[in-house]
């Protein structure tokens, strides 16, 4: 009876356990098959659920972890997939697909060295495996792109770094490090929307990513939104207090903001010398901040124009538009300086650029005024010929004519008797120009038309019929004046009355 009881006990203890284990395996296989069906239909969420059920039933089956890893990879969850792939090869080191999936996850996350080790292990198990061979090459290509990018970043060849990161991301699409480096370089190249987009995508997945916060701040900093930029830098430093780049950028941003504001204050108070010094100091803080520096150059150009250092003002505005060729204010400031220095063609060119960018009535009028000044500059400058100011009175114009007419009259023996024919011809030309200038500037109607830039040949004012000698006779004739007679064509001599 004792033996029989022991046997019962054994039967009761072992047989139900064996039946449960087999049943669990069958049920796990059923879950796996259902997972495979959903995977084939690309319903990866349902496939994940069934593979999880299979794992729950049989947690030591390597293939179930491998299948779930494959599903997570299709869902773009490479970090979670990596954990499953690693578990699958821990359970079965000869599981080639497990090593391939582990390597693929490492590579997708940007750890190319670890990926190489996984692919090498797969090749040790199956040296003819084509996928392992290709993935091993891909991993080595990523390692090479990383090395080139690191060198080019030091050389500040940001365009090439972006190229290398784009190539690397083809194999490592989930690598935040590569994306951050690309975004940082895009910011350095002035491609702010692209850089912001990359950083924002990372922050949506990980709001505490210090590198992404830094890049987001960097874009704002380079777009001259300095106050907002500082907020992002501070946030990045909260997440990573030893983030060197964020620390430097935060310090520069605060210094730049303070100097610029101090310069603006000095300018408003009329202390132009101090404003110049402060803007100059601000320009030395960060040569990479193109947009802010463009504004600083334009501000300093405005200061120079106030100090009547017009050539320096033009140079500052030129530096501003070199940094930012869309900076309307700098073009307008430079155009005005060009007008003030009588460089009318350059002024017209700047106003044309402004009007093409912003077709406002104000800009159209500025362009029209500059074009008028250019047109006027190409005519004879009658004020210059007489040597008088544009605001000269009627008496000043007469006195100037008297002086210049006597100076250049070809009949003056004391000045021209021994001169060559060429010199006499030049003096005669100047004499005629003096008479022409007097004719225009002494007549209110003609003077008004001339000053407004209108054509003088209109309304019968044809200067081709002008006779300088008649003007001279009319001006100097009469008692007590001068009279002269011709002693030959174009030759005159004076007689005092």
């Amino acid at each position: 009876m004792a033996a029989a009881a022991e046997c019962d006990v054994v039967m009761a203890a072992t047989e139900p356990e064996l039946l449960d284990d087999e049943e669990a395996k069958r049920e796990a296989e059923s879950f796996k098959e259902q997972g495979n069906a959903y995977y084939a239909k690309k319903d990866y969420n349902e496939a994940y659920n069934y593979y999880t059920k299979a794992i729950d039933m049989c947690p030591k089956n390597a293939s179930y972890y491998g299948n779930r890893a494959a599903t997570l990879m299709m869902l773009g969850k490479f970090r979670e997939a990596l954990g499953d792939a690693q578990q699958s090869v821990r359970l079965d080191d000869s599981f080639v697909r497990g090593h391939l999936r582990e390597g693929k996850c490492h590579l997708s996350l940007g750890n190319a060295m670890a990926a190489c080790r996984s692919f090498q292990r797969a090749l040790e198990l199956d040296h003819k495996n084509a996928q392992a061979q290709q993935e091993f090459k891909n991993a080595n290509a990523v390692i090479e792109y990383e090395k080139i990018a690191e060198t080019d970043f030091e050389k500040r060849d940001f365009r090439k770094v972006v190229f290398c990161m784009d190539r690397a991301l083809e194999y490592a699409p989930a690598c935040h490090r590569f994306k951050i480096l690309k975004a940082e370089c895009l910011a350095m190249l002035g491609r702010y929307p692209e850089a912001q987009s990359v950083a924002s995508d990372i922050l949506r997945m990980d709001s505490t990513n210090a590198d992404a916060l830094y890049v987001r701040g960097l874009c704002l900093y380079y777009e001259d939104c300095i106050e907002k930029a500082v907020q992002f830098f501070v946030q990045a430093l909260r997440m990573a207090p030893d983030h060197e780049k964020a620390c430097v950028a935060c310090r520069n941003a605060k210094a730049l903001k303070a100097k610029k504001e101090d310069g603006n204050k000095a300018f408003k108070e009329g202390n132009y010398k101090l404003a110049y010094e402060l803007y100059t100091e601000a320009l030395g803080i960060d040569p990479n901040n193109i947009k802010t520096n463009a504004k600083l150059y334009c501000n300093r150009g405005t200061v120079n124009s106030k100090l009547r250092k017009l050539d320096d003002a033009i140079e500052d505005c030129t530096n501003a538009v070199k940094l930012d060729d869309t900076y309307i204010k700098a073009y307008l400031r430079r155009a005005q300086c060009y007008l003030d220095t009588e460089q009318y063609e350059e002024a017209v060119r700047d106003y044309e650029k402004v009007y093409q960018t912003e077709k406002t009535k104000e800009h159209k009028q500025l362009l029209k005024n500059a074009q008028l000044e250019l047109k006027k500059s190409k005519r004879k400058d009658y004020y210059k010929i007489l040597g008088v100011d544009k605001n000269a009175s009627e008496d000043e114009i007469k006195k100037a004519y008297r002086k210049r007419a006597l100076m250049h009259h070809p009949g003056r023996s004391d000045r021209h008797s021994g001169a060559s024919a060429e010199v006499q011809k030049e003096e005669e030309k100047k004499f005629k120009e003096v008479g022409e200038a007097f004719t225009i500037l002494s007549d209110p109607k003609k003077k008004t038309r001339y000053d407004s830039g209108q054509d003088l040949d209109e309304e019968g004012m044809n200067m081709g019929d002008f006779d300088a000698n008649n003007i001279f006779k009319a001006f100097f004739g009469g008692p007590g004046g001068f009279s002269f007679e011709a002693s030959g064509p174009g030759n005159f001599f004076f007689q005092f009355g």
Side-chain angles (χ1 to χ4, degrees), residues 16-34:
E17 183 179 341
L18 290 171
L19 288 172
D20 288 344
D21 188 51
E22 288 299 321
E23 187 178 345
K25 286 181 180 178
R26 285 195 300 272
E27 194 168 352
E29 277 297 305
S30 174
F31 287 142
K32 186 196 78 169
E33 292 301 326
Q34 290 180 75

Side-chain angles (χ1 to χ4, degrees), residues 172-190:
C175 181
H176 286 182
R177 184 164 47 87
F178 292 169
K179 289 179 180 179
I180 288 294
L181 180 57
K182 174 185 174 180
E184 184 177 358
C185 290
L186 286 170
M188 300 300 280
L189 291 167

Side-chain angles (χ1 to χ4, degrees), residues 121-139:
R121 178 58 183 151
L123 287 169
E124 288 171 7
L125 295 167
D126 180 6
H127 70 278
K128 291 183 178 180
N129 190 297
Q131 184 184 353
Q133 291 171 352
Q134 184 58 52
E135 294 292 1
F136 185 73
K137 288 180 182 178
N138 293 345

Side-chain angles (χ1 to χ4, degrees), residues 138-356:
N138 293 345
N140 278 294
V142 170
I143 291 171
E144 190 61 27
Y145 283 129
E146 281 191 84
K147 288 179 181 177
I148 296 170
E150 184 178 353
T151 301
D152 289 330
F153 189 87
E154 291 296 321
K155 293 178 181 176
R156 302 183 64 79
D157 189 348
F158 303 121
R159 200 174 302 279
K160 196 169 179 182
V161 177
V162 170
F163 172 83
C164 288
M165 288 301 95
D166 278 338
R167 302 288 80 74
L169 284 164
E170 290 174 5
Y171 304 116
C175 181
H176 286 182
R177 184 164 47 87
F178 292 169
K179 289 179 180 179
I180 288 294
L181 180 57
K182 174 185 174 180
E184 184 177 358
C185 290
L186 286 170
M188 300 300 280
L189 291 167
R191 293 160 64 178
Y192 307 121
E194 295 172 73
Q196 287 177 10
S197 177
V198 174
S200 296
D201 285 345
I202 293 173
L203 288 171
R204 273 192 288 272
M205 292 181 279
D206 178 11
S207 62
T208 65
N209 190 300
D211 291 326
L213 289 167
Y214 159 71
V215 170
R216 189 75 180 85
L218 195 66
C219 292
L220 290 165
Y221 172 60
Y222 285 152
E223 288 185 291
D224 198 39
C225 299
I226 295 178
E227 197 166 335
K228 287 184 180 179
V230 169
Q231 293 174 8
F232 275 93
F233 294 145
V234 169
Q235 195 175 348
L237 289 168
R238 284 200 196 104
M239 301 301 154
D242 59 345
H243 198 296
E244 187 178 345
K245 289 183 177 179
C247 184
V248 172
C250 190
R251 186 170 61 244
N252 285 344
K254 288 179 178 179
L256 202 53
K257 182 174 180 288
K259 286 289 182 187
K260 184 182 176 186
E261 288 178 351
D262 288 346
N264 292 346
K265 182 182 177 183
F267 180 83
K268 288 177 183 177
E269 292 173 352
N271 192 341
Y272 301 130
K273 184 178 179 182
L274 178 59
Y276 178 90
E277 291 172 358
L278 289 167
Y279 289 141
T280 301
E281 289 173 15
L283 282 165
I285 292 173
D286 185 2
N288 294 319
N289 195 322
I290 292 172
K291 211 148 196 174
T292 301
N293 287 342
K295 291 184 178 180
L296 288 168
Y297 271 121
C298 187
N299 287 359
R300 197 173 73 173
T302 304
V303 171
N304 277 322
S305 69
K306 290 289 185 182
L307 295 170
R308 302 312 296 167
K309 296 179 178 179
L310 297 179
D311 289 339
D312 290 342
I314 289 171
E315 184 180 353
D316 276 340
C317 292
T318 299
N319 285 328
V321 297
K322 280 181 181 177
L323 293 176
D324 181 3
D325 63 359
T326 66
Y327 193 12
I328 296 298
K329 188 176 179 180
Y331 284 110
L332 290 171
R333 170 59 55 197
R334 187 172 69 173
Q336 184 58 55
C337 290
Y338 278 140
L339 285 177
D340 292 341
T341 53
E342 299 184 1
Q343 299 179 67
Y344 301 116
E345 289 185 1
E346 290 82 355
V348 168
R349 189 163 56 243
D350 276 355
Y351 283 129
E352 283 176 340
K353 170 75 174 178
V354 169
Y355 184 62
Q356 286 168 5

